[in-house]
Amino acid sequence: GKTSLLRIIVGELEPSAGIARLARGVRIGYVPQSPNPASGSLRDDIMTAFEELHRLEAAMEAVSQEIERTVGGAQRRAVERLASISARYEALGGYSYRSTMERVCAGVGLSHEKLDTLAPSASGGERTRAALARALLYNPDLLVLDEPTNHLDLKGLTWLEKFLGHYSHAFVVASHDRYFLDRVVTQVWELDHGRLQVFRGSYTAYRAQKAEQVLRQQREHEK
């Protein structure tokens, strides 16, 4: 049920009833429990997170060549376009994305050697860590994680907890690891009998609030 709900949120699955809506232009990063293997290496798969930066690099190269072969007003306009493209490139972390990639991959437990592994030959855990790295590097407005702790060791788990603790956008996580939830979430959503309740705070806070709610309902029923 949780995986189906997450797939509806990211648009991979149509709801059997009702409508799922997302704000226009929202960038979504999704890490499923079992990612499908890509055709290239794990590194190639992760690098797809930087497709916009690669397009900007190509555009800057093209405009730079235009500046060299033009003069006067045409050259000035080309210089202005280059400045605009460069500003966008810098805002997206273009001048540091390779070092950022190395840091994130190391954080989730992917060594340089593992990055060169062909995705179809990689283990399920390696593909999951690569998918997690790709989603984190994409820096989406909404990050959706389905059981992200399944294939992480203690070091990787600690790193992910710190990363999510400083993440500047929204994220939704489904997990059976209540200790992980206690350290990263600020709300718990409970779906029960077709109704959704939102509880503020950690998983432990949710359990306490839920217990109080059940006790209150029991007393009201007895009255």
Side-chain angles (χ1 to χ4, degrees), residues 27 46 69 79 100 108 138 171 207:
R27 289 158 48 97
I46 294 169
R69 64 174 182 266
V79 169
T100 301
V108 299
Y138 182 57
F171 65 87
R207 290 295 299 271

Side-chain angles (χ1 to χ4, degrees), residues 136 143 145 159-167 171 180 184:
L136 299 180
L143 178 63
L145 306 175
W159 182 90
L160 180 61
E161 289 171 357
K162 290 181 179 178
F163 183 95
L164 293 176
H166 295 91
Y167 193 63
F171 65 87
F180 173 73
V184 301

Side-chain angles (χ1 to χ4, degrees), residues 18 26 30 46 52 56 60 68 110 117-118 134 146 149 164 168 173 182 188 200 208 211:
V26 169
Y30 175 46
I46 294 169
E52 184 173 358
L56 292 173
M60 287 191 295
E68 292 178 1
L110 287 173
T117 303
L118 291 177
R134 182 182 67 243
D146 193 359
T149 66
L164 293 176
S168 58
V173 56
D182 259 342
V188 173
R200 302 287 179 178

Side-chain angles (χ1 to χ4, degrees), residues 3-19:
T3 293
S4 297
L5 182 61
L6 295 184
R7 291 183 64 200
I8 289 172
I9 290 174
V10 302
E12 282 194 359
L13 193 65
E14 288 294 322
S16 55
I19 299 172

Side-chain angles (χ1 to χ4, degrees), residues 12 16 20 47 56 62 83 104-106 117 120 135 178 184 199 203 218:
E12 282 194 359
S16 55
M47 287 296 285
L56 292 173
V104 170
C105 288
T117 303
R178 63 183 185 271
V184 301
F199 295 83
Y203 180 79
Q218 289 175 341

